[in-house]
Amino acid sequence: MCGRFVLFTTGEALVDAVAALPGAGTVATPDGTPPPRYNIAPTQQVALVRFDASGARIDAARWGLLPSWKKDDSGPPLFNARAETVAEKPSFRSAFAHKRGLMLLDGYYEWLPTEHGRKQPYFVAPESGMLYAAALWETGLDRLSTTMVTTETTENMAWLHHRLPLFLGADEVAQWVDGTPEEAAELLAPSRVANTLRWREADPAVGNARNEYAGLVGEGPLGETRP
């Protein structure tokens, strides 16, 4: 599962990260690029990448899918979609068949219960570069919205949580966004990108979505030492 994440890459650097993907071509930014964010939560605006014949575009989208049949935005936000059921579940199956894109992350947060009954947040990020999370999008209620696909965790991340965002390698993006539903389904498994993930303790203040500053990601190098 992923319920909070970070995107501090912005401006030309963000456009360049998308342009480097196979098939991206010219990258359009009709909404501009977002400002640096360090505590993005469900229902907030996120950077969504979509592809068409003219190339890629980065749009602002609500994090929490609004299927076309939704009459309002009430109820728990659909911010994660389980890979095991995404092709059949009514909330996601239409988007999985026709509307697949990417969510852009520099890292994300996960919480680990401690022996004292509290939860310690960790900031998780790759060794280098950005993370491209498999996403679905919809335009229900005349709003662009998105959700992040998750899978079972990988061996190196199982200590932290039993679910993990489906991060795609650059060579997998075209298959996800342009492939048939059957081809996209071949990617619905724990990603090899997870092997590049590292972590460190984050500021507990990240638990409050109103807190928004760079120090939330913690200090010191990212590593592989588990508590």
Side-chain angles (χ1 to χ4, degrees):
M1 146 175 214
C2 179
R4 298 284 178 84
F5 71 90
V6 170
L7 179 63
F8 49 75
T9 300
T10 187
E12 291 185 8
L14 188 66
V15 173
D16 289 345
V18 174
L21 294 171
T26 301
V27 180
T29 56
D31 299 316
T33 58
R37 293 288 311 280
Y38 296 91
N39 197 6
I40 301 172
T43 74
Q44 295 180 353
Q45 295 292 98
V46 299
L48 171 69
V49 180
R50 296 183 290 169
F51 292 76
D52 59 27
S54 63
R57 57 184 288 157
I58 305 172
D59 291 301
R62 176 189 191 264
W63 187 18
L65 199 71
L66 297 169
S68 59
W69 46 263
K70 284 275 286 184
K71 299 185 184 311
D72 55 50
D73 60 4
S74 63
L78 302 173
F79 60 91
N80 284 167
R82 293 175 65 92
E84 296 86 345
T85 57
V86 69
E88 294 84 25
K89 194 169 182 178
S91 296
F92 305 122
R93 63 189 177 195
S94 177
F96 177 75
H98 306 292
K99 299 172 182 176
R100 299 184 298 272
L102 305 174
M103 288 176 67
L104 301 173
L105 293 74
D106 282 301
Y108 70 100
Y109 298 104
E110 198 59 79
W111 279 258
L112 182 70
T114 69
E115 60 183 13
H116 303 295
R118 299 179 180 178
K119 290 186 176 181
Q120 171 62 48
Y122 283 81
F123 173 63
V124 183
E127 291 178 297
S128 62
M130 297 191 65
L131 292 167
Y132 303 98
L136 310 177
W137 58 273
E138 277 280 14
T139 54
L141 302 180
D142 295 322
R143 296 175 63 185
L144 181 60
S145 61
T146 187
T147 189
M148 186 184 301
V149 180
T150 68
T151 70
E152 292 183 354
T153 194
T154 52
E155 183 177 355
N156 66 314
M157 298 303 298
W159 66 277
L160 185 56
H161 201 275
H162 65 282
R163 302 294 296 179
L164 187 72
L166 174 53
F167 296 124
L168 300 173
D171 61 332
E172 297 174 316
V173 168
Q175 181 176 344
W176 175 254
V177 299
D178 292 328
T180 65
E182 292 75 19
E183 290 169 336
E186 295 174 358
L187 300 173
L188 295 175
S191 169
R192 69 175 192 271
V193 176
N195 294 324
T196 72
L197 296 177
R198 303 292 182 262
W199 51 83
R200 64 172 172 248
E201 290 188 357
D203 186 335
V206 74
N208 187 334
R210 290 175 294 182
N211 292 328
E212 175 67 58
Y213 50 88
L216 292 173
V217 301
E219 299 179 351
L222 296 167
E224 299 177 272
T225 302
R226 305 178 187 182

